[in-house]
Amino acid sequence: GELLPRGVSNIIAAIGSIAHNDVFLDVGAGVGNIVCQFALETNASRCIGIEIQQQLVETSTVLVNTAACRSRSLRKVELVCGDFRHTDFQRPTILYSCNMVFTTECKDSLVKTICSLPTLHTVALGVHPCPRHSRRCWSDFCVIWTLHKEVIVNVSWTGNPQSVYVFKRNSS
């Protein structure tokens, strides 16, 4: 299933100002629609999608490269086949993941990865990384990140709106 375009636009709006030096990373990029829309609608210098399914990456790469001939913004899109747990990220500043279908192990690894990337200033996730969160929570994630907005989005896999949680890094 896919996040519908209006939902992606709403997430971009919730993130706020996106500068030319920002690098967007979509973990579990699927067909790359979010990476492409992010490239088209924002000033980010690079938009990277990582996806474990090689066939999706190959097909999406052909489509993006074809469309990039008509849209310069799509030239900043890069789709990578791989497992995010074994990938050297190139200094992303904004990370998105529709991590709903991830295994518990993958969700935990994603949270550890997010906490270990010092360049990140904004994270948007389909599943709240701290389901029992409270104001006094001391999980590694909650010490570093604060919920900025909960965005309600429409998706292709159900008629029910879904939440995407946008977090901002706490000031040091």
Side-chain angles (χ1 to χ4, degrees):
E2 301 299 328
L3 192 63
L4 299 180
R6 180 174 287 159
V8 178
S9 294
N10 291 343
I11 292 168
I12 290 169
I15 289 170
S17 179
I18 298 169
H20 180 71
N21 61 344
D22 279 316
V23 175
F24 174 73
L25 174 66
D26 182 353
V27 177
V31 296
N33 63 312
I34 294 172
V35 177
C36 291
Q37 189 171 341
F38 208 92
L40 292 167
E41 290 187 14
T42 73
N43 292 323
S45 61
R46 294 183 63 213
C47 298
I48 304 163
I50 184 163
E51 171 57 49
I52 201 163
Q53 296 182 57
Q54 185 170 352
Q55 184 178 359
L56 286 178
V57 174
E58 289 172 357
T59 302
S60 300
T61 299
V62 169
L63 294 172
V64 169
N65 289 342
T66 301
C69 295
R70 294 181 303 255
S71 174
R72 293 183 63 119
S73 294
L74 291 176
R75 294 180 190 163
K76 58 188 177 180
V77 170
E78 179 183 353
L79 300 168
V80 178
C81 184
D83 185 329
F84 77 90
R85 295 172 292 182
H86 309 292
T87 302
D88 181 23
F89 296 110
Q90 299 180 0
R91 307 185 72 67
T93 56
I94 301 167
L95 183 144
Y96 168 79
S97 184
C98 184
N99 57 336
M100 295 169 200
V101 297
F102 287 15
T103 65
T104 300
E105 177 190 346
C106 283
K107 287 177 189 170
D108 292 345
S109 293
L110 180 60
V111 168
K112 287 178 185 171
T113 298
I114 289 167
C115 291
S116 72
L117 291 170
T119 56
L120 283 177
H121 60 72
T122 306
V123 173
L125 300 170
V127 174
H128 197 296
C130 187
R132 294 180 158 191
H133 180 73
S134 70
R135 280 190 249 148
R136 295 183 183 160
C137 186
W138 288 100
S139 75
D140 290 343
F141 185 90
C142 295
V143 167
I144 299 170
W145 299 95
T146 298
L147 182 62
H148 174 65
K149 286 187 180 176
E150 180 179 354
V151 182
I152 306 301
V153 298
N154 291 320
V155 295
S156 66
W157 66 86
T158 179
N160 299 325
Q162 302 292 306
S163 293
V164 173
Y165 303 92
V166 178
F167 297 88
K168 297 286 186 171
R169 183 179 289 276
N170 293 327
S171 302
S172 302

